[in-house]
Amino acid sequence: MSAANGVASGQELVFDDSGLDTWTEEDRFEVTAPRLAEYAAATNDPIPAHRRGEIAAPVFGIVPVFESLLMPAIDVLPVELIPRVVHGEQDFHFHRPIRPGDKLISRGKMIGYEGLDNGTRAAIKLECRTEAGELVNEQYATTFVRGFQAGRSVGVLSPSHKFDEALRGQQPVATVVQHVDEDQTFRYSQASGDPMPIHLDAEVARDAGLPGIIAHGLCTMAFTSWALLTQVAKSDVNRLKRFAVRFSKMVLPGDDLETRLWKRDTRDGVSTYLFETTRVGSDGEKAITDGLAEIKEA
């Protein structure tokens, strides 16, 4: 069997299931208004409360848990497979927004994985609380191990947020066009604390088989968050209860993005919107698919 299918140097690569459902050590993060404002500016967020650092933009929620996101994969996957891991989906469940002065404690754990024909999908659950124990948000990150078939399914995966194809026959409730700046990745890297070189160094990116520097998926997700908040939530992040996407195709600095939103339904005072984000001028190539947002009605 080849290394891509699970053997390297004669040694079989296997997931360590003892690491499943095991919380990582806690990580701590103190929130400041300047850090919130920097993140909003780095994602071109126009919402005044975000730009002033009075309250966190929704995707800022990844920043305090960033270390907790990385560790569960290391606990379960063979180290040889870590370079093959990509971030496939992100799903935020908000209990309340992050605010300046919050002292947050985060932890994570891998909850399951599934072997597929072209790789293995694995689900990580993250939890963010205040020092006093108040639950701020829960997150599900779906990672994908390229070219490695684990050969089995164990545990559970992230909650579903599939697009409803029946909506394609309806007009979207809103369409938002946004521009990714040439320096976007450098600003986002600084604001988010994500130092991955494929977002900062064109030579490294090309060596990885990319056309050049690519945008962070979570930066693109942040773009879609303010598109949605400004169009259907009166720019009020307090109303956002869930926000999920699938990262489908890469985004490049200089791209224009078009996000289209459809309203699926309203139940128990919460409206569900589905959305997709397309790279303008790319023959319909979608950067974000299976987008879902749950918004509490005012």
Side-chain angles (χ1 to χ4, degrees):
M1 187 181 295
S2 69
N5 290 323
V7 173
S9 302
Q11 297 298 314
E12 185 177 4
L13 300 179
V14 295
F15 284 20
D16 180 1
D17 291 351
S18 68
L20 291 174
D21 276 323
T22 301
W23 289 109
T24 60
E25 293 184 4
E26 295 177 343
D27 290 304
R28 295 174 179 268
F29 185 94
E30 186 167 354
V31 182
T32 66
R35 187 70 186 271
L36 298 183
E38 181 186 26
Y39 190 88
T43 56
N44 297 1
D45 190 327
I47 297 174
H50 301 171
R51 296 293 288 232
R52 293 193 295 263
E54 295 171 1
I55 197 167
V59 182
F60 180 86
I62 198 67
V63 177
V65 307
F66 192 69
E67 294 298 325
S68 297
L69 171 62
L70 300 175
M71 291 308 298
I74 294 172
D75 289 342
V76 176
L77 273 60
V79 66
E80 295 90 342
L81 295 180
I82 297 300
R84 302 192 198 178
V85 175
V86 295
H87 193 171
E89 301 179 29
Q90 181 68 24
D91 186 355
F92 292 94
H93 295 244
F94 300 105
H95 296 272
R96 70 139 167 102
I98 293 171
R99 303 184 182 95
D102 281 341
K103 295 180 179 180
L104 302 176
I105 298 175
S106 302
R107 59 181 184 169
K109 63 180 178 179
M110 187 173 287
I111 57 176
Y113 59 86
E114 176 185 29
L116 303 171
D117 288 343
N118 59 343
T120 298
R121 177 169 52 199
I124 294 169
K125 182 176 181 179
L126 302 155
E127 184 181 88
C128 182
R129 297 179 180 270
T130 65
E131 282 188 331
E134 179 186 8
L135 186 59
V136 176
N137 63 63
E138 297 167 280
Q139 305 176 35
Y140 294 87
T142 298
T143 60
F144 188 74
V145 186
R146 297 169 295 177
F148 179 84
Q149 222 288 25
R152 61 189 187 277
S153 297
V154 178
V156 298
L157 298 176
S158 303
S160 176
H161 50 93
K162 287 290 186 183
F163 188 84
D164 184 352
E165 294 296 329
L167 292 176
R168 294 202 188 280
Q170 304 177 18
Q171 283 292 110
V173 298
T175 299
V176 182
V177 176
Q178 301 161 301
H179 181 70
V180 181
D181 298 329
E182 294 291 344
D183 67 344
Q184 200 86 54
T185 63
F186 298 93
R187 290 158 45 213
Y188 186 82
S189 178
Q190 176 67 30
S192 66
D194 184 340
M196 285 290 289
I198 59 172
H199 307 299
L200 305 171
D201 188 314
E203 184 175 347
V204 171
R206 285 192 290 267
D207 286 345
L210 301 169
I213 288 173
I214 65 170
H216 302 72
L218 286 158
C219 182
T220 304
M221 187 181 188
F223 270 56
T224 64
S225 74
W226 63 255
L228 181 126
L229 289 174
T230 56
Q231 295 300 306
V232 297
K234 297 183 178 179
S235 298
D236 184 1
V237 71
N238 292 280
R239 294 171 56 188
L240 185 60
K241 300 305 175 187
R242 184 183 177 192
F243 192 61
V245 303
R246 178 177 179 267
F247 303 112
S248 184
K249 296 291 184 179
M250 69 184 73
V251 170
L252 306 179
D255 276 352
D256 290 313
L257 304 175
E258 181 182 84
T259 296
R260 297 192 298 165
L261 315 172
W262 289 265
K263 185 175 181 178
R264 188 179 70 187
D265 55 41
T266 300
R267 298 179 184 177
D268 300 322
V270 175
S271 292
T272 298
Y273 293 86
L274 306 184
F275 62 93
E276 295 179 329
T277 299
T278 303
R279 295 177 64 209
V280 176
S282 65
D283 295 326
E285 185 173 273
K286 294 181 176 64
I288 296 287
T289 58
D290 295 330
L292 180 147
E294 294 178 355
I295 305 234
K296 186 176 180 180
E297 291 297 295

